[in-house]
Amino acid sequence: MKSKIRYLEVSVRRGRVIESRHRVHAVVADPSGRVVRSWGDHRRPTMLRSAAKPFQALPLVADGAADHFGISGEEIALCCGSHSSEESHVRVVRSILAKAGAGEELLVCGPHPPLSAARAEALAAAGTRPTPIMSNCSGKHAGMLALAAFHGWPLDGYESPAHPVQARMSREVSRWTGTDPSEMHSEVDGCGVPTFAVALGDLARGAARLAAAGRVEGSSRRIVRAMVDHPFMVAGTGRLCTRLMEEERGRVFAKVGAEAVYMAGDLDRGLGVALKVEDGAWRAAPPALMAVLDLAGIVSPGAREALWPDFVEPVRTNTLGNEVGRITVEERPCS
């Protein structure tokens, strides 16, 4: 279906006045590759960032490493996740490393404050400095080390684009998105390993294929089931990926990426969603995702109602805790 010449606009309102606007590109696709709906430019090159993690976790299952090391569904979900550095997240990362026989010192993901503001404040109050195992990407990195250990590849240097682990990841992203490897641009992600750029529509197609494959027995189903059965491991307390999958109870999976990227899939209908906030504004991404899921008929009424105050039309407050505005999403014609 030909894309409508429209885009989504996220408006940040103070009272009745619009203070800021963020343009959003989004695509809904089916497993055949057909674009069902789109807003903005579905061909826009988009760095996948952490939205690629479910694809990057697939070799861990498909190659046999998960079974060999006894890696659980909860641990697989963490390999797909961008966690909030909560205690249970760190515990599960340590479990993966122990099963693979890899030490924490091998993790090359640098430390950073937790994605959860509450967790960051708690660590700061306790005088605890973040370490690499607390990185939101440490689950992905632990999975990469486990894959290397299973194949007998070197553990040192696993982050290098020339390392077999990263070559394997690149092939998997190419396969699911349908992007020719020669056209899939690679750069260094925030955690030190390669990340990939594909057309936004190809990310949506990849999500749709993963959603459809998630209904059939196999390694892809194990990835999807791990995410929806253990949503806390994919993000954490109060975050949209976790909350949405909890509310939808196995119907929908979702994965965020830095610079305001999202990927989601409808397991019932095999639809895939991808979006990118053009200016990378994080505050615009959750309401934009909820708007796309609603317009595509993917989100259930119950989930939409439960997520309304925090993600669908978030309230803006001042330092006194008073409501001063809201963030809203509308369709706009392209100028």
Side-chain angles (χ1 to χ4, degrees):
M1 179 178 176
K2 187 176 180 181
S3 173
K4 293 182 179 179
I5 311 300
R6 299 182 70 82
Y7 65 93
L8 292 174
E9 181 179 272
V10 178
S11 298
V12 182
R13 299 171 180 268
R14 183 168 297 274
R16 293 173 294 174
V17 177
I18 295 176
E19 284 195 299
S20 304
R21 292 188 174 99
H22 307 284
R23 180 177 289 203
V24 180
H25 304 268
V27 183
V28 181
D30 67 20
S32 72
R34 184 174 67 99
V35 173
V36 178
R37 294 195 69 170
S38 70
W39 298 264
D41 184 3
H42 68 91
R43 297 164 297 183
R44 188 184 192 281
T46 302
M47 278 289 176
L48 303 187
R49 306 298 297 272
S50 287
K53 285 177 178 174
F55 303 129
Q56 291 170 302
L58 271 160
L60 186 68
V61 177
D63 292 10
D67 287 338
H68 178 77
F69 291 121
I71 294 174
S72 68
E74 183 181 50
E75 291 164 341
I76 291 170
L78 192 70
C79 293
C80 299
S82 298
H83 64 75
S84 292
S85 313
E86 295 173 72
E87 290 182 7
S88 57
H89 297 135
V90 176
R91 171 184 56 78
V92 173
V93 177
R94 288 198 170 109
S95 176
I96 298 169
L97 292 172
K99 289 178 178 180
E104 290 183 32
E105 72 279 359
L106 292 169
L107 292 171
V108 301
C109 48
H112 61 76
L115 299 181
S116 162
R119 179 62 171 161
E121 290 171 6
L123 290 180
T128 302
R129 298 181 62 182
T131 61
I133 202 167
M134 296 179 185
S135 163
N136 80 91
C137 294
S138 62
K140 175 179 73 173
H141 283 246
M144 290 177 175
L145 284 166
L147 183 66
F150 172 73
H151 282 290
W153 297 331
L155 301 186
D156 288 330
Y158 71 90
E159 75 280 10
S160 169
H163 193 282
V165 162
Q166 300 308 328
R168 182 72 180 84
M169 303 288 159
S170 178
R171 291 197 300 273
E172 204 69 25
V173 172
S174 173
R175 181 167 77 93
W176 284 90
T177 63
T179 306
D180 190 300
S182 65
E183 298 177 359
M184 192 170 71
H185 196 66
S186 174
E187 294 291 352
V188 180
D189 208 340
C191 63
V193 300
T195 186
F196 313 96
V198 305
L200 188 63
D202 289 341
L203 175 58
R205 294 181 186 102
R209 290 165 184 155
L210 190 58
R215 295 177 292 182
V216 181
E217 288 300 325
S219 56
S220 51
R221 176 175 171 79
R222 287 178 63 185
I223 292 291
V224 173
R225 291 312 314 177
M227 294 176 69
V228 299
D229 289 346
H230 305 280
F232 183 78
M233 289 294 133
V234 179
T237 303
R239 290 177 53 202
L240 179 55
C241 290
T242 293
R243 291 278 309 280
L244 176 62
M245 290 190 284
E246 287 174 343
E247 294 293 337
E248 291 293 0
R249 301 177 185 273
R251 287 187 55 255
V252 175
F253 69 84
K255 183 68 197 74
V256 70
E259 291 298 312
V261 174
Y262 262 110
M263 173 179 78
D266 178 343
L267 298 177
D268 286 348
R269 293 189 290 163
L271 296 178
V273 171
L275 72 81
K276 172 74 173 88
V277 180
E278 189 170 290
D279 63 2
W282 171 245
R283 64 184 176 182
L289 177 65
M290 293 305 299
V292 172
L293 295 177
D294 190 29
L295 290 166
I298 293 174
V299 68
S300 65
R304 186 173 185 272
E305 181 179 358
L307 299 172
W308 180 279
D310 296 321
F311 303 108
V312 178
E313 194 171 292
V315 172
R316 303 182 70 210
T317 59
N318 62 14
T319 56
L320 302 176
N322 300 324
E323 180 178 335
V324 297
R326 289 181 178 268
I327 299 177
T328 61
V329 187
E330 296 177 284
E331 292 184 284
R332 296 287 191 191
C334 288
S335 56

